[in-house]
């Protein structure tokens, strides 16, 4: 496979968030690295490409800087963003972000695409601001893109952008990648007719559309057929004057970074201290953002059933529950945080003793080093989303296990389950099944752990973050050339 950067082309990455977040302090703006999964993954791809290609990868990043910037500081923030991060900030008002991001993105698209229709809000004002922000992104891009650039747009925040950009720059290759599930037709059709048609038409402005799994791709193709009437041939949608290619690209991770992390002396020290603190207890690790789609209640209840029915594990097992803050200020998430903490308290109060606490809970973001140490010492990783586009925590855990010991329990609703079939695959809606999987994992012989780990680690090593990004970029070039050949043929 050709991992080289396409010669003479600049890659323009477009996402809702930039790889940094700014905040105002003492009369000026402070720049901090973004911690979101998408920003982290794309940043890893760009860093890995620079190392693998032994050259200064030519790219630019367009996105929102994480806060509303006062007009007087726009030029200062823009200059620093370009100079220090090769990034072009998109400036949005507080009202735009409230109704676009907290509104349509998080209260309409996110719950519906994750199969929570009862939590979905259909509000025309949100939809109007969603379109407005996509147009603002387009206007920013128009002033940046050059003839030889490749534009790679990411995720559900910007599903109108491909068509908006294609209408104004018809010769620029445009790729789009969706990092969350694309729902079935029966779920997608719950959107108002005008909205669902415009979303599909917006996506079809791209030359190449990518999804994590074959199922998501098929759902999209079925919606295009049943709502817009366009058929496809082997993933190629024939529009009246264009061809759009649709394919699957399961996102990888920086395998080497996680696999070699334990060689770092600070991570070794952290892992040693954790093991000593937890004595000889078996460690079950759970790491997730605070979100209703992650199935956190279910895994806690499954753990409670294990302690209730399998008394031999009491005093010999610890669940480390790390919940990363997400969407602070949204009432539903604050309520969920409170309920999780109440359930943790209930389980610890019911089963804990003076010398043993069943669940060690932290509500915080963990930097790479302490997270890598936790991955390394954990005997089991418990990953139980009710619906998830991919879930990179599962892959990071496997990659971190250089000693090839450990067990992954993984929800069948996560995109990564399609690649990690050697994990213990469970239905996260069944608490008893989670409890049974925990017992199987804790009692699994080491030779069986090693057999499964070897297979999964090799698979993740072969299809890492570099290969994921490179395959998408090269297929985008191929899709654009196919478009040119088809257009000439039609003429």
């Amino acid at each position: 496979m050709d991992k080289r950067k396409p010669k003479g082309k600049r890659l323009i990455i477009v996402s809702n968030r930039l790889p940094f977040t700014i905040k105002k302090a003492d009369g000026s703006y402070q720049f901090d690295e973004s911690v979101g999964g998408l920003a982290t993954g794309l940043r890893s791809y760009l860093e890995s490409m620079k190392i693998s290609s032994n050259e200064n990868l030519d790219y630019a990043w367009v996105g929102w800087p994480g806060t509303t910037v006062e007009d007087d500081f726009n030029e200062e923030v823009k200059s620093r963003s370009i100079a220090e991060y090769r990034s072009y900030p998109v400036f949005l008002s507080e009202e735009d972000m409230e109704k676009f991001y907290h509104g349509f993105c998080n209260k309409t698209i996110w719950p519906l695409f994750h199969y929570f229709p009862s939590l979905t809000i259909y509000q025309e004002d949100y939809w109007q601001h969603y379109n407005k922000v996509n147009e603002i992104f387009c206007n920013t891009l128009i002033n940046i893109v050059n003839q030889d650039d490749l534009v790679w747009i990411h995720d559900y925040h910007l599903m109108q952008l491909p068509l908006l950009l294609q209408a104004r720059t018809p010769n620029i290759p445009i790729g789009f990648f969706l990092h969350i599930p694309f729902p079935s037709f029966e779920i997608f059709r719950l959107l108002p007719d005008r909205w669902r048609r415009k979303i599909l038409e917006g996506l079809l402005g791209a030359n190449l559309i990518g999804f994590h799994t074959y199922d998501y791709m098929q759902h999209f193709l079925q919606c295009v057929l049943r709502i817009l009437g366009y058929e496809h041939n082997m993933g190629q949608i024939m529009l009246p004057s264009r061809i759009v290619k649709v394919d699957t690209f399961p996102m990888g991770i920086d395998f080497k970074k996680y696999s070699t992390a334990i060689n770092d002396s600070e991570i070794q020290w952290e892992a040693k201290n954790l093991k000593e603190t937890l004595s000889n207890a078996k460690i079950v690790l759970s790491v997730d953002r605070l979100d209703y789609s992650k199935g956190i209640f279910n895994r806690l209840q499954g753990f409670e059933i294990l302690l209730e029915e399998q008394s031999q594990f009491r005093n010999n097992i610890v669940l480390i529950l790390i919940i990363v803050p997400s969407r602070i200020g949204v009432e539903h998430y604050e309520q969920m945080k409170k309920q999780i903490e109440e359930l943790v308290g209930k389980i610890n109060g019911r089963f804990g003793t003076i010398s043993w606490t069943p669940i060690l809970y932290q509500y915080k973001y963990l930097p790479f080093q302490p997270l890598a140490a936790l991955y390394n010492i954990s005997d089991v990783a418990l990953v139980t989303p009710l619906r998830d586009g991919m879930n990179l925590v599962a892959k990071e855990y496997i990659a971190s296990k250089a000693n090839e010991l450990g067990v992954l329990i993984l929800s069948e609703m996560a995109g990564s389950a399609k690649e990690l079939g050697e994990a213990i695959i469970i239905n996260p809606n069944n608490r008893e099944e989670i409890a049974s999987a925990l017992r199987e994992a804790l009692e699994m012989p080491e030779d069986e752990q090693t057999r499964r780990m070897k297979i999964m680690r090799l698979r993740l090593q072969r299809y890492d973050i570099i290969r994921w990004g490179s395959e998408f970029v090269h297929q985008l070039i191929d899709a654009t050339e196919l478009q040119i050949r088809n257009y000439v043929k039609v003429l």
Side-chain angles (χ1 to χ4, degrees), residues 232-252:
H232 75 94
N233 180 23
M234 302 295 289
Q236 293 182 8
I237 301 173
M238 306 297 294
L239 302 181
S241 61
R242 301 175 56 246
I243 295 178
V244 178
K245 182 75 168 68
V246 184
D247 209 342
T248 59
F249 306 85
M251 188 174 184

Side-chain angles (χ1 to χ4, degrees), residues 6 28 70 82 87 120 152 173 188 198 219 239 259 280 283 295 303 339 342 369 397 400-401 410 413 451 455 462 490:
S28 63
E70 296 173 15
I82 295 171
S87 296
T120 304
W152 190 1
F188 186 74
K198 281 206 68 174
H219 289 161
L239 302 181
S259 183
N280 295 319
I283 300 169
F303 184 71
Q339 292 172 341
E342 288 175 352
Q369 289 184 326
Y397 175 74
S400 299
K401 289 300 187 179
L410 181 59
M413 307 297 183
R451 184 190 72 81
I455 298 170
R462 286 175 174 169
V490 170

Side-chain angles (χ1 to χ4, degrees), residues 163-439:
L163 183 60
L164 292 171
L165 186 61
Q166 191 270 336
R168 297 175 68 177
T169 59
N171 297 321
I172 299 285
I174 301 171
F176 181 91
F177 192 89
L178 187 68
H179 291 265
I180 65 173
F182 195 93
S184 68
F185 171 72
E186 291 302 326
I187 292 292
F188 186 74
R189 73 189 299 189
L190 296 178
L191 288 170
D193 180 68
R194 180 166 48 91
W195 298 7
R196 65 195 186 206
R197 294 182 72 88
K198 281 206 68 174
I199 286 173
L200 294 178
E201 289 167 352
L203 291 171
L204 291 177
N207 300 91
L208 174 65
I209 304 172
F211 300 92
H212 281 306
T213 73
Y214 180 79
D215 288 347
Y216 306 157
M217 181 185 78
Q218 289 300 312
H219 289 161
F220 172 75
L221 291 171
Q222 185 186 47
C223 287
V224 168
L225 174 61
R226 299 187 68 173
I227 294 172
L228 300 182
Y230 296 129
E231 297 184 350
H232 75 94
N233 180 23
M234 302 295 289
Q236 293 182 8
I237 301 173
M238 306 297 294
L239 302 181
S241 61
R242 301 175 56 246
I243 295 178
V244 178
K245 182 75 168 68
V246 184
D247 209 342
T248 59
F249 306 85
M251 188 174 184
I253 60 169
D254 187 344
F255 182 86
K256 185 177 179 181
K257 176 182 178 181
Y258 287 93
S259 183
T260 60
I262 195 57
N263 298 332
D264 183 290
S265 58
E266 290 189 29
I267 294 176
Q268 289 177 359
W269 179 84
E270 181 102 27
K272 181 174 179 292
N273 280 352
L274 284 168
K275 286 294 285 184
E276 290 175 352
T277 301
L278 298 171
S279 187
N280 295 319
K282 290 276 192 178
I283 300 169
V284 178
L285 178 63
S286 167
V287 181
D288 261 316
R289 286 188 304 104
L290 179 66
D291 195 277
Y292 49 78
S293 68
K294 299 300 183 181
I296 298 171
F297 290 113
N298 298 41
R299 78 186 65 165
L300 285 172
Q301 290 167 343
F303 184 71
E304 183 178 25
I305 292 171
L306 177 78
L307 296 180
E308 184 178 83
E309 298 181 351
Q310 306 293 330
S311 59
Q312 70 271 24
F313 292 117
R314 298 176 195 171
N315 295 294
N316 297 315
I317 183 175
V318 172
L319 171 62
I320 298 179
L321 179 67
I322 308 294
I323 297 182
V324 180
S326 176
R327 300 177 175 92
I328 298 299
V330 178
E331 182 180 349
H332 184 80
Y333 288 84
E334 292 297 327
Q335 180 183 359
M336 183 169 56
K337 176 177 177 288
K338 181 181 177 183
Q339 292 172 341
I340 289 171
E341 290 171 351
E342 288 175 352
L343 183 54
V344 169
K346 173 195 166 192
I347 295 171
N348 281 341
R350 180 182 177 191
F351 296 102
T353 65
I354 293 176
S355 59
W356 174 61
T357 303
I359 303 173
L360 301 180
Y361 163 72
Q362 283 192 319
Y363 180 70
K364 63 186 292 187
Y365 163 72
L366 278 187
F368 174 72
Q369 289 184 326
L371 179 61
L374 277 174
Y375 283 150
N376 186 263
I377 67 167
S378 298
D379 300 283
V380 179
L382 185 58
V383 183
T384 64
L386 303 179
R387 190 76 57 168
D388 212 342
M390 174 51 68
N391 196 291
L392 298 182
V393 168
K395 294 188 174 186
E396 291 168 1
Y397 175 74
I398 296 296
S400 299
K401 289 300 187 179
N403 65 357
E404 298 179 338
L405 290 176
V407 183
L408 172 64
I409 299 174
L410 181 59
S411 164
E412 64 184 351
M413 307 297 183
S416 54
K418 302 292 188 294
E419 299 171 82
L420 302 175
E422 292 74 24
I424 299 177
I425 306 296
I426 54 100
N427 181 337
N429 295 295
N430 189 325
R431 281 75 165 172
E432 288 76 15
E433 196 170 323
I434 294 173
S436 177
L438 280 167
R439 177 178 180 179

Side-chain angles (χ1 to χ4, degrees), residues 111-129:
L112 188 68
F113 280 37
H114 285 84
Y115 291 74
F116 288 87
S118 63
L119 300 180
T120 304
I121 295 175
Y122 307 92
Q123 190 165 313
E124 180 65 25
D125 197 25
Y126 290 169
W127 168 247
Q128 295 299 332
H129 276 81

